[in-house]
Amino acid sequence: MATCQSRKTETFGNKKSPMQTEKQVLKSTDKRESKPTNFRKFYERGDFPIALEHDTKGNKIAWKVEIEKLDYHHYLPLFFDGLCEVDHPYEFFARQGVHDMLEHGGSKILPVIPQLIIPIKNALSLRDKTVMCTTLKVLQHLVVSADMVGEALVPYYRQILPILNIFKNYNLNSGDGIDYSQQKRENIGDLVQETLEAFEMRGGEDAFINIKYMIPTYESCMLN
């Protein structure tokens, strides 16, 4: 009997179970491990028509071809895939490359939207604060990059919005750090709110109800 009692104490006392000690339980906002991206592989093989250029304003991409003539079905999803990157120079080329292509893509962007959803979801799902800020800014650029893009994203809210719902009221900083993060547009909670408002404004008549379904606390920026 004494043996059984000691076993119970060991099992249900303050000691952690083997499962708890071997695998740490992650919170919903904890960073996930990233995997090697196709973007990195293509970059290291020299498959992108890009180079790094320095000027008085800092670094920028020197494109070896006219951006408007790129095959967007091939290149745009690859650059979106690179949004998961945090290491230089991959992070810089992916982020800046996406913005350059959105700036010059015009009518080429809309047909590629279905190919961008998985890379967007993968980047957000990392829950890496830097990656999330970059991706949210990209989403804001994406919805205004061409006609009908906002509407085309509505059917994919189920893939994109769950992570935004987790971070909607997230604020990592405190004190002076809040002002600094807002100045640099790196406050995740603010960026999530801006992104949802951009989705609503550019997503057509079905946007709000679909946002509200996925994020019940969201209030319309157009009805008020």
Side-chain angles (χ1 to χ4, degrees):
M1 184 68 69
T3 305
C4 291
Q5 181 63 37
S6 64
R7 283 181 181 172
K8 283 186 178 180
T9 303
E10 185 171 291
T11 305
F12 299 105
N14 293 326
K15 293 184 178 181
K16 293 181 179 180
S17 68
M19 187 173 293
Q20 285 177 307
T21 55
E22 290 174 10
K23 185 176 181 180
Q24 183 181 7
V25 178
L26 290 173
K27 295 187 296 184
S28 62
T29 56
D30 283 348
K31 177 182 174 181
R32 271 50 171 180
E33 290 298 318
S34 59
K35 299 176 183 178
T37 64
N38 285 326
F39 176 86
R40 181 180 292 221
K41 181 176 71 174
F42 275 71
Y43 175 83
E44 290 177 343
R45 287 199 322 215
D47 288 348
F48 293 130
I50 54 177
L52 188 62
E53 183 176 296
H54 304 277
D55 63 14
T56 55
K57 296 180 181 179
N59 295 333
K60 68 177 183 178
I61 293 180
W63 291 88
K64 299 175 183 179
V65 297
E66 292 182 38
I67 300 175
E68 294 85 349
K69 295 182 179 179
L70 289 171
D71 179 352
Y72 268 60
H73 279 283
H74 176 67
Y75 284 110
L76 193 58
L78 280 171
F79 275 86
F80 266 79
D81 179 66
L83 294 175
C84 290
E85 293 286 354
V86 294
D87 298 328
H88 187 79
Y90 314 105
E91 178 274 335
F92 169 77
F93 277 120
R95 171 173 47 84
Q96 192 58 50
V98 164
H99 285 299
D100 286 355
M101 292 186 73
L102 293 180
E103 188 72 31
H104 296 273
S107 61
K108 287 188 170 186
I109 297 170
L110 182 61
V112 189
I113 292 298
Q115 295 173 255
L116 305 181
I117 304 307
I118 290 178
I120 290 169
K121 182 181 177 181
N122 289 343
L124 294 173
S125 295
L126 286 179
R127 295 162 167 82
D128 179 286
K129 309 309 180 285
T130 301
V131 171
M132 285 200 67
C133 288
T134 296
T135 306
L136 290 167
K137 292 172 187 176
V138 164
L139 286 172
Q140 292 179 28
H141 192 175
L142 178 63
V143 296
V144 299
S145 62
D147 291 340
M148 302 301 293
V149 167
E151 289 92 330
L153 287 171
V154 175
Y156 301 104
Y157 283 176
R158 288 174 182 267
Q159 284 102 303
I160 299 172
L161 297 191
I163 300 296
L164 272 60
N165 189 33
I166 293 172
F167 285 89
K168 183 173 182 289
N169 299 311
Y170 186 86
N171 186 353
L172 185 64
N173 300 287
S174 59
D176 293 338
I178 296 176
D179 295 330
Y180 182 70
S181 69
Q182 289 173 338
Q183 184 180 358
K184 293 186 69 179
R185 294 188 70 233
E186 291 178 356
N187 183 289
I188 294 178
D190 291 346
L191 286 170
V192 167
Q193 183 65 26
E194 291 174 13
T195 304
L196 294 174
E197 291 177 0
F199 278 10
E200 181 186 0
M201 289 187 287
R202 306 288 295 200
E205 59 183 15
D206 295 329
F208 172 68
I209 192 170
N210 280 279
I211 295 172
K212 188 74 172 176
Y213 179 78
M214 299 301 299
I215 305 179
T217 58
Y218 178 74
E219 298 296 334
S220 175
C221 66
M222 298 176 68
L223 296 178
N224 298 330

